Amino acid sequence: EIDVKFDREKIIGYHAVDFYIPQFNLIIEVDGTYWHNYPNGNKKDEEQTQYYKSKGYKILRFWDKDILGNESEIKNKLVEVVK
């Protein structure tokens, strides 16, 4: 296990991201199924993802319903990104 410090609702650019982990330059967004048009997402989400990638950030997006139902999958994706 590693000690990870993160910021919640951190403003980066023009948007407050859900979580930011500075040591990995990683943004994590948790998209609500109602506001983000589950299961397709929306154009604004894709534009934000591309914006942050263009600025050199790593970004992961998860559906809110998947956070509690698939903890091991979420953990695996996080480990994969920070390796």
Side-chain angles (χ1 to χ4, degrees):
E1 302 245 350
I2 56 175
D3 184 29
V4 176
K5 299 197 183 340
F6 63 91
D7 296 312
R8 237 166 74 176
E9 295 296 320
K10 169 91 172 160
I11 295 176
I12 301 176
Y14 64 92
H15 175 71
V17 300
D18 293 327
F19 299 96
Y20 175 60
I21 305 173
Q23 73 195 82
F24 300 113
N25 202 36
L26 174 63
I27 293 170
I28 300 172
E29 293 281 57
V30 179
D31 298 332
T33 55
Y34 177 79
W35 294 107
H36 295 268
N37 188 29
Y38 178 80
N40 302 311
N42 62 45
K43 185 177 179 179
K44 182 180 175 186
D45 294 336
E46 182 57 32
E47 289 170 356
Q48 288 173 349
T49 296
Q50 293 310 313
Y51 170 79
Y52 290 121
K53 284 183 176 182
S54 76
K55 299 297 181 189
Y57 294 96
K58 298 174 195 162
I59 183 163
L60 289 175
R61 298 191 89 94
F62 298 107
W63 289 106
D64 59 352
K65 69 174 199 65
D66 291 334
I67 296 295
L68 295 176
N70 297 314
E71 293 92 348
S72 62
E73 182 180 332
I74 300 296
K75 182 179 176 182
N76 290 340
K77 285 182 182 180
L78 287 168
V79 168
E80 189 176 301
V81 167
V82 300
K83 276 185 173 181

